[in-house]
Amino acid sequence: MLKQVVRLLMAALYVSIPYAATAAERVVDPVASWNKHFKTWAVVSIVVYLVVTIPLIYFVFKYKRKRKDENGAYIVGNTAIEILWTVVPMIIIIMLGAQSWAVFNDLRDVPKDHIEVKAVGFMYGFEMYSPEGIKTINELRVPVGNVKVNLTSKDVIHDFALPAFRTREDMVPGENTYLWFAAKEPGEYPVYCAEYCGAGHSQMLAKVIVMKQDDYDAWVKKQKGDSEMASLTPETKGKDLVERLGCLGCHSITGETKAGPALNGIIGKSEELEDGTKVAIDEAFVKEKIADPKAKPIKGFGHMMPPNMLAKEEYEAIAAYLKTTK
Ligand code: CUA
């Protein structure tokens, strides 16, 4: 009997060798191998489900007790059947395991030709850094090709999920993790946070924008030009800052209350603080609030806002922009 089991195990290994072999090679498209893997699991699950359920329903009717004094057959055991239902699932599991291992390797091994970008999670949004050091919020622009994304977090654990590329990875504060994907077609692909991280978790939405190399180069050139352009008005600078710093993850400028109060028309209003005092929202308050949000918490909004140390002109620009909003 032992011999029989060993022989079957060897057969199972032999069947899974092709999968193990792909795992050793460099596979360029994890999406394809993931899809294939998903199909295999789906087929196996459905077959196993039917093999169990159909006889189950049939036996429920066939062996239903028909008379009150009827006794069921007393079955002690059946070695052949027990070996069968141990070995067959074992083979299936070894095969699925080998294939999972192959997909796992595809997802972890970054091909040699790749560009490297960085994404940092925060409550509630993603900071992205291009290889040229251009920072964007909730938008990652990459040229067509393989992209390695280095991940970390500023505060709590987030998860960078890219459903179109069948990959995701946790963003852990104080730790560096990564994922990679093959950007083949120009277009926009959704990114979302897949780890519950607080009140604004569901608002952590972003996108990957895959561009043709020429378009990407033009974008990089324009971004660099823009940052050197000092001729912007304070209002435009302020609008740009509010967008780039990720303020809109928690504050709307359209009037609705998100994790934080709406920002439009807020300058000139008065708000109640947690300790009951009333404050007038003016430029000085805006500056203080951005630099040290916990100093004067507004009633009903908790203490989630992270501090941001900015230059004096930047605080002024934000206040100038907020004044233009109604
Ligand atoms: Cu960040 Cu959920």
Side-chain angles (χ1 to χ4, degrees):
M1 193 193 121
L2 189 69
K3 246 188 189 171
Q4 231 175 337
V5 172
V6 171
R7 202 179 298 159
L8 275 165
L9 251 178
M10 294 305 289
L13 280 175
Y14 180 76
V15 181
S16 44
I17 279 171
Y19 293 123
T22 12
E25 284 167 25
R26 240 296 4 100
V27 174
V28 250
D29 190 6
V31 173
S33 59
W34 196 97
N35 286 349
K36 191 176 117 196
H37 191 54
F38 180 82
K39 254 181 231 160
T40 315
W41 275 85
V43 169
V44 170
S45 310
I46 291 167
V47 169
V48 169
Y49 177 77
L50 293 178
V51 164
V52 171
T53 319
I54 292 172
L56 177 90
I57 294 169
Y58 173 71
F59 291 145
V60 161
F61 290 102
K62 181 166 161 80
Y63 295 108
K64 186 182 180 324
R65 190 160 79 156
K66 289 171 190 84
R67 299 188 320 271
K68 272 215 161 138
D69 58 345
E70 190 181 15
N71 280 326
Y74 181 63
I75 299 165
V76 179
N78 185 324
T79 313
I81 288 180
E82 283 183 18
I83 289 175
L84 192 74
W85 70 40
T86 306
V87 172
V88 171
M90 196 158 68
I91 295 170
I92 294 171
I93 285 165
I94 289 174
M95 285 178 61
L96 290 179
Q99 206 189 13
S100 292
W101 177 242
V103 177
F104 174 77
N105 281 299
D106 289 347
L107 289 168
R108 298 320 295 162
D109 296 347
V110 188
K112 278 206 182 68
D113 58 320
H114 66 266
I115 61 155
E116 231 167 292
V117 300
K118 190 176 165 190
V120 182
F122 64 91
M123 292 156 101
Y124 297 99
F126 301 96
E127 272 174 16
M128 321 277 200
Y129 296 86
S130 79
E132 299 80 13
I134 300 166
K135 179 179 166 185
T136 45
I137 293 286
N138 293 339
E139 186 184 283
L140 176 64
R141 287 180 186 261
V142 293
V144 170
N146 299 321
V147 182
K148 180 183 179 190
V149 190
N150 293 310
L151 307 166
T152 191
S153 166
K154 278 190 174 172
D155 34 47
V156 299
I157 300 176
H158 303 276
D159 187 295
F160 195 80
L162 270 171
F165 299 106
R166 309 283 189 269
T167 186
R168 59 168 57 177
E169 186 64 41
D170 275 3
M171 309 173 103
V172 186
E175 225 176 272
N176 297 310
T177 52
Y178 73 91
L179 57 77
W180 82 274
F181 60 93
K184 290 182 169 166
E185 289 289 322
E188 289 189 15
Y189 305 91
V191 179
Y192 66 94
C193 177
E195 184 73 53
Y196 182 69
C197 53
H201 164 69
S202 63
Q203 286 154 14
M204 278 187 76
L205 301 168
K207 54 194 171 185
V208 169
I209 303 177
V210 178
M211 305 168 92
K212 287 197 196 107
Q213 188 68 51
D214 293 351
D215 296 344
Y216 179 77
D217 293 341
W219 176 76
V220 169
K221 216 171 154 193
K222 186 174 175 293
Q223 293 300 308
K224 292 205 159 159
D226 277 0
S227 61
E228 282 153 19
M229 195 164 62
S231 60
L232 291 172
T233 63
E235 288 80 5
T236 341
K237 261 191 204 161
K239 181 169 192 287
D240 185 55
L241 277 166
V242 165
E243 283 162 8
R244 277 196 298 121
L245 292 171
C247 309
L248 302 180
C250 297
H251 300 278
S252 80
I253 40 162
T254 47
E256 89 247 39
T257 305
K258 293 165 97 177
L263 294 182
N264 48 309
I266 199 162
I267 291 190
K269 275 190 190 159
S270 75
E271 291 277 356
E272 192 180 346
L273 300 182
E274 263 180 15
D275 61 10
T277 47
K278 290 245 177 195
V279 286
I281 313 286
D282 53 13
E283 276 178 54
F285 184 84
V286 167
K287 178 181 176 213
E288 198 182 343
K289 192 70 199 167
I290 298 170
D292 186 8
K294 289 177 181 61
K296 289 184 180 169
I298 291 174
K299 200 170 193 173
F301 287 105
H303 305 131
M304 287 185 295
M305 181 165 161
N308 273 290
M309 291 311 290
L310 305 177
K312 189 167 164 281
E313 311 83 70
E314 292 178 310
Y315 292 119
E316 286 165 6
I318 291 175
Y321 165 60
L322 292 182
K323 275 188 192 160
T324 67
T325 60
K326 295 232 160 55

